[in-house]
Amino acid sequence: MSQEVILRVEELTKLYGARVGCRNVSFELCGAEVLAVVGESGSGKSTLLNCLSGQLPPSGGSLSYRGANGHWRDVLALSEPERRLLSRTEWAFVHQDPRDGLRMTVSAGGNVGERMMAVGARHYGTIRSTAADWLRQVEIPQDRLDDRPTAFSGGMRQRLQIARALATNPRLVFMDEPTGGLDVSVQARLLDLIRTLVNQFELSVILVTHDLAVARLLAHRMMVMKDGHVVESGLTDQVLDDPQHPYSQLLVSSILQT
Amino acid sequence: MSAVDDPTDLTLGSEGSDASVAEAKGDEQIADLSSDAGDDRIDETIDGYNFAYLDENTKRMIRRAILKAVAIPGYQTPFASREMPMPYGWGTGGVQVTAACLTPGDTLKVIDQGADDTTNAVSIRQFFEKTARVDTTTRTEDATVIQTRHRIPEKALTEDQIIVYQVPIPEPLRYLEPRETETRKMHALEEYGLMHVKLYEDISRHGHIATTYAYPVMVEDRYVTDPSPIPKFDNPKLSNSPALQLFGAGREQRIYAIPPYTKVKSLDFEDYPFDPGQWPQACALCGAEDSYLDEIITDDAGGRMFVCSDTDFCSRRRAEQDAAATSEEGEQ
């Protein structure tokens, strides 16, 4: 794992009027590191993720990202075109519901190809073969290349969304409950796939989940959030096996032990 | 650099001469009006209506939108579209743009799918004959303003002409991205990858780019624009045209423009280049091999013929051929 920091978050705060979305969140993310953000519904996980990925303007704090060229950039000060360019080249977002991240009326190949075309690919043959290659990576049969996602199962849609997100070789991927809404066996297969891809492409991932098992399987480090605050953070095993904060202890103990 | 080599000088020069030509023409025709034909026409106009139906303030508002559209080629300029005495979809946008462009000295031609004699063309022509008392013509080269529904005349346009297109849906990204807020942002930030997704889908489904009308174009390397539902056969005529091209969408309240001598490129892939298409047969009436053909069903036993969609072009070619035939006979 590369030890160089690529994302630095300081005192990030998002207020919805008087209510707190998240408050004073600070952390650093290294290259090829997977960070899980866990907590119950309403704890501010998604707000934090949306602020980090530039979809929601934070109320305060700072956010800087070190690009592939090695330069640090203040993400909050980027102009909209720059931020949108960043989010379709070096960054990617995987939604919980594949329908949010896919174009349901466009074929699987077109979905994967869109990101390539958005950054200027104009050769049909190349786009198509790259798309086919990505489908193979996410274990979707090649003969489904021209089918629309509406004809896909939930697990296949989610895998297609991941292929689409990775098509332009991003460095940093934001995932919002990528396995939510899938049945357990499909979840296991998807987790295995994500873990393989993350290792293979040395992706940095910020993973929001309420499922501690997902965090344990994928994440190197984790943060526990409650009421918009980070109450505990550390190595995944350390937090899960020896939780210090009462809320983390509650969270860990609420899992059925087998 | 000499003045002749400088393109800006050339343009300015030609614009100047345009204006003087137009003025001269205008004076002549106004004189015509007042002498013989004028009196009849005044009887035909409807009391209480302004020249070209719209009031002057509305025309001024539309002209401002047109000026802005010309200044930003391909950009969809919003305008306060008025209700016109015809249903949406019949060319209310085009009619408003035409009304704002017309001067008493203009000669108007109206075509509908290339034809001068279909309901839509005849109605709009009569509308302006009544409300503006302008001369009308079917001859492409005699017209100063041409309102068209979905064709560009076969005869090359000139710098003295304005062509007005009727546009149903001005937004080329509409069917891919239904949110207007999002499509505006995409235009502003030049995010046009989505347009190629549509072409990609065409190729993956049909083996070639199957979009045959309203084929998206890139105007002056900046704005992706819907050229209104003209056949893709006409797309090459959009580029570097000497005539001013104006597009009006009444229901959608947008005006956009392709100014004279503007670069217009039809979108394509490197390995699937744009193809305007062609027919294996020639026009069954005039024998033209380079015009856009309509298929006409002649009976219920599968009989069909292909004829020019531009009726002016076709009928005059036939007249010339007839004349040539007669003169040959005379010589013999």
Side-chain angles (χ1 to χ4, degrees):
Chain A
M1 190 206 303
S2 137
Q3 287 305 310
E4 289 195 337
V5 175
I6 65 161
L7 190 74
R8 185 172 289 138
V9 184
E10 280 161 5
E11 306 281 308
L12 199 73
T13 299
K14 174 70 189 175
L15 302 175
Y16 298 105
R19 262 172 296 138
V20 176
C22 61
R23 172 165 277 171
N24 296 341
V25 178
S26 304
F27 67 90
E28 286 182 343
L29 184 73
C30 293
E33 183 182 37
V34 180
L35 172 73
V37 182
V38 301
E40 62 189 10
S41 282
S43 60
K45 309 185 299 277
S46 295
T47 298
L48 176 64
L49 196 70
N50 287 334
C51 286
L52 295 174
S53 59
Q55 298 176 40
L56 207 58
S59 317
S62 75
L63 175 61
S64 31
Y65 168 73
R66 199 167 59 89
N69 56 11
H71 294 303
W72 281 98
R73 302 165 85 179
D74 181 354
V75 177
L76 301 180
L78 290 180
S79 67
E80 187 164 13
E82 289 173 318
R83 194 167 60 238
R84 283 171 75 114
L85 182 67
L86 192 64
S87 66
R88 63 172 190 263
T89 51
E90 295 189 19
W91 290 8
F93 199 102
V94 177
H95 296 265
Q96 172 172 8
D97 187 343
R99 275 174 293 191
D100 294 337
L102 294 173
R103 290 191 191 278
M104 300 303 281
T105 55
V106 168
S107 71
N111 263 294
V112 179
E114 182 181 344
R115 265 178 81 106
M116 288 179 265
M117 291 183 248
V119 293
R122 292 290 180 267
H123 192 282
Y124 176 81
T126 316
I127 294 166
R128 192 171 171 80
S129 61
T130 316
D133 193 46
W134 274 107
L135 289 201
R136 187 183 51 73
Q137 299 256 23
V138 298
E139 300 165 19
I140 294 177
Q142 296 291 300
D143 59 357
R144 306 301 298 271
L145 185 61
D146 292 330
D147 288 352
R148 294 179 177 192
T150 42
F152 284 11
S153 68
M156 276 172 80
R157 286 182 194 177
Q158 195 57 286
R159 277 179 277 145
L160 178 61
Q161 195 195 175
I162 289 169
R164 174 183 157 101
L166 299 185
T168 48
N169 299 313
R171 303 169 72 218
L172 175 59
V173 183
F174 301 96
M175 295 189 181
D176 189 2
E177 309 266 15
T179 59
L182 299 175
D183 66 54
V184 181
S185 61
V186 176
Q187 263 192 34
R189 192 169 159 207
L190 186 67
L191 285 174
D192 194 43
L193 175 74
I194 294 176
R195 192 163 58 171
T196 314
L197 293 174
V198 163
N199 286 335
Q200 187 180 344
F201 298 104
E202 297 195 334
L203 299 174
S204 302
V205 179
I206 297 180
L207 171 77
V208 160
T209 179
H210 63 271
D211 188 339
L212 294 183
V214 171
R216 189 190 281 282
L217 202 63
L218 288 180
H220 304 116
R221 281 197 303 136
M222 63 187 286
M223 298 196 310
V224 181
M225 288 189 75
K226 182 179 184 338
D227 299 334
H229 295 263
V230 175
V231 294
E232 185 168 354
S233 63
L235 296 175
T236 304
D237 292 349
Q238 182 189 331
V239 175
L240 289 180
D241 295 341
D242 183 20
Q244 300 296 308
H245 191 274
Y247 177 72
S248 312
Q249 291 167 354
L250 180 74
L251 209 58
V252 171
S253 66
S254 63
I255 300 175
L256 288 176
Q257 301 292 333
T258 49
Chain B
M1 192 194 280
S2 76
V4 182
D5 289 338
D6 185 356
T8 50
D9 265 277
L10 257 183
T11 330
L12 283 176
S14 60
E15 267 175 17
S17 62
D18 278 356
S20 55
V21 167
E23 263 170 34
K25 223 183 207 174
D27 290 340
E28 210 174 276
Q29 273 160 353
I30 289 170
D32 275 350
L33 271 181
S34 56
S35 60
D36 44 31
D39 294 341
D40 300 348
R41 288 199 183 144
I42 286 168
D43 295 339
E44 286 169 23
T45 56
I46 316 159
D47 275 345
Y49 281 88
N50 191 28
F51 174 77
Y53 185 75
L54 293 173
D55 63 276
E56 290 304 313
N57 279 332
T58 298
K59 283 195 268 183
R60 185 156 80 163
M61 173 272 295
I62 295 172
R63 286 174 192 147
R64 283 184 170 171
I66 291 173
L67 285 177
K68 184 170 174 185
V70 170
I72 318 172
Y75 170 75
Q76 299 165 44
T77 314
F79 80 111
S81 178
R82 299 290 194 250
E83 296 239 356
M84 297 302 284
M86 61 171 74
Y88 286 126
W90 284 40
T92 52
V95 162
Q96 288 178 76
V97 172
T98 303
C101 290
L102 277 183
T103 62
D106 274 319
T107 307
L108 179 69
K109 172 182 164 79
V110 184
I111 51 175
D112 172 7
Q113 306 281 9
D116 293 280
D117 53 4
T118 55
T119 314
N120 195 285
V122 170
S123 305
I124 293 175
R125 193 160 58 230
Q126 285 178 348
F127 176 77
F128 283 114
E129 278 170 359
K130 278 186 186 165
T131 59
R133 291 182 288 137
V134 291
D135 287 328
T136 56
T137 182
T138 58
R139 295 165 64 89
T140 303
E141 69 269 33
D142 291 348
T144 52
V145 177
I146 303 173
Q147 178 169 341
T148 170
R149 175 169 174 266
H150 317 342
R151 269 315 307 280
I152 300 176
E154 303 292 352
K155 188 166 181 58
L157 302 178
T158 66
E159 291 181 354
D160 299 330
Q161 294 176 312
I162 298 175
I163 181 164
V164 179
Y165 298 79
Q166 302 171 197
V167 182
I169 294 175
E171 178 53 73
L173 303 162
R174 172 67 73 246
Y175 291 112
L176 303 152
E177 175 54 70
R179 289 169 293 179
E180 175 78 16
T181 48
E182 190 63 21
T183 54
R184 279 195 218 178
K185 198 169 275 182
M186 290 160 79
H187 282 294
L189 303 180
E190 287 186 75
E191 289 182 3
Y192 290 133
L194 197 55
M195 206 68 247
H196 275 85
V197 172
K198 181 179 188 297
L199 303 181
Y200 172 96
E201 289 289 286
D202 265 3
I203 301 174
S204 72
R205 205 169 301 156
H206 305 287
H208 59 99
I209 298 178
T211 304
T212 53
Y213 65 96
Y215 193 104
V217 295
M218 173 68 90
V219 176
E220 203 65 27
D221 296 324
R222 177 59 184 84
Y223 282 101
V224 165
T225 302
D226 185 332
S228 88
I230 59 170
K232 67 174 178 177
F233 177 86
D234 283 340
N235 269 24
K237 297 181 200 162
L238 293 167
S239 187
N240 215 28
S241 165
L244 171 62
Q245 307 180 72
L246 300 175
F247 299 76
R251 179 178 45 207
E252 302 286 324
Q253 313 197 321
R254 294 289 184 276
I255 288 173
Y256 51 105
I258 300 177
Y261 304 110
T262 299
K263 181 177 155 196
V264 178
K265 186 181 180 309
S266 304
L267 299 180
D268 57 6
F269 284 103
E270 287 159 14
D271 45 347
Y272 285 84
F274 172 74
D275 169 25
Q278 58 183 21
W279 282 260
Q281 58 274 82
C283 170
L285 299 177
C286 75
E289 291 175 344
D290 54 353
S291 67
Y292 185 80
L293 302 183
D294 280 340
E295 182 181 6
I296 297 183
I297 306 291
T298 52
D299 53 34
D300 55 3
R304 59 179 65 175
M305 63 195 287
F306 288 86
V307 299
C308 294
S309 97
D310 187 335
T311 52
D312 173 51
F313 175 77
C314 194
S315 59
R316 282 166 61 198
R317 266 179 62 91
R318 276 180 287 153
E320 277 166 25
Q321 287 162 1
D322 288 350
T326 357
S327 71
E328 262 176 34
E329 276 170 21
E331 277 165 23
Q332 285 162 1

